[in-house]
Amino acid sequence: MAVMKILVYGDPVLRKVAEPVTDFGPNLEQIAADMLETMEKGDGIGLAAPQVGLSIRFLVIGLPVEEEGVRKMITLTLANPEIVAESEELATCEEGCLSLPEINIQVERPEAVTVNYQDLQGNPQVLEADDMLAVVVQHEMDHLDGVLITDYLPMLQRTMMRSKLKRLSEEHASSTQG
Ligand code: CO
């Protein structure tokens, strides 16, 4: 297993529409393991493949939940996810992103979604997500289409954040040179 480098705002890979996953099995298992390790190290609860420079429709989730007083971890690996149903009810949550350090943005999304996807072996699966899991899966799926949480900001707030984002992408550019 290896920790991968997380791309930061300004990297063009984050803005690309990712390609479908076609290579299942050992290769994808390795990518999943590395991405989960990278996500945990970054204290994230989800990570999409484009964030580690892989422009494929793949994401991982590691969400701590408490059920009847028992803490456990929901770990999910989704290839080629597709939302097939969503609730009319919307919910707003303050979201962060490992590719946008120190930025939190209120994002409104459907409160529950049904997602068709393929597992690491390519078998079709269905995920019924609500609450925090619905937030994470929709956030990570946005990454597969090159969408970032800053895109949800109203125009005025986006303008106000422009200098902060510019600084982020410049810091990133200089750190890759150094
Ligand atoms: Co993100």
Side-chain angles (χ1 to χ4, degrees):
M1 297 226 288
V3 173
M4 301 155 115
K5 184 176 149 57
I6 296 176
L7 302 183
V8 174
Y9 184 92
D11 194 295
V13 177
L14 292 173
R15 288 306 197 177
K16 278 171 68 174
V17 175
E19 298 290 329
V21 174
T22 54
D23 186 12
F24 296 93
N27 280 343
L28 195 58
E29 285 169 21
Q30 185 62 55
I31 290 170
D34 289 348
M35 282 177 61
L36 282 165
E37 194 180 344
T38 306
M39 177 195 74
E40 281 161 25
K41 184 149 186 276
D43 268 333
I45 52 177
L47 188 67
Q51 292 181 276
V52 289
L54 301 170
S55 197
I56 55 171
R57 305 189 76 79
F58 182 70
L59 61 90
V60 301
I61 292 172
L63 190 63
V65 289
E66 203 171 298
E67 254 172 39
E68 289 157 12
V70 181
R71 270 178 67 92
K72 58 171 194 173
M73 196 76 166
I74 299 176
T75 304
L76 289 166
T77 52
L78 280 68
N80 302 324
E82 219 174 304
I83 291 175
V84 291
E86 58 186 36
S87 62
E88 274 176 38
E89 300 79 49
L90 303 176
T92 304
C93 182
E94 188 170 276
E95 300 182 20
C97 181
L98 291 173
S99 294
L100 288 157
E102 290 165 44
I103 289 176
N104 292 295
I105 289 170
Q106 301 271 349
V107 183
E108 186 178 59
R109 305 181 184 276
E111 195 269 324
V113 288
T114 305
V115 180
N116 285 358
Y117 69 99
Q118 286 168 280
D119 63 24
L120 298 175
Q121 314 309 325
N123 304 309
Q125 305 286 350
V126 183
L127 171 69
E128 302 278 357
D130 63 4
D131 201 25
M132 203 54 201
L133 183 56
V135 174
V136 181
V137 76
Q138 290 177 85
H139 174 117
E140 302 310 332
M141 284 180 69
D142 274 352
H143 279 297
L144 308 182
D145 291 322
V147 174
L148 300 170
I149 48 176
T150 44
D151 299 336
Y152 289 89
L153 284 173
M155 193 56 81
L156 178 65
Q157 286 178 46
R158 208 185 302 183
T159 307
M160 284 160 58
M161 195 166 270
R162 198 172 285 159
S163 61
K164 191 167 184 179
L165 290 172
K166 191 161 174 276
R167 200 161 57 238
L168 250 186
S169 61
E170 282 168 0
E171 276 169 16
H172 168 69
S174 58
S175 71
T176 49
Q177 280 159 14

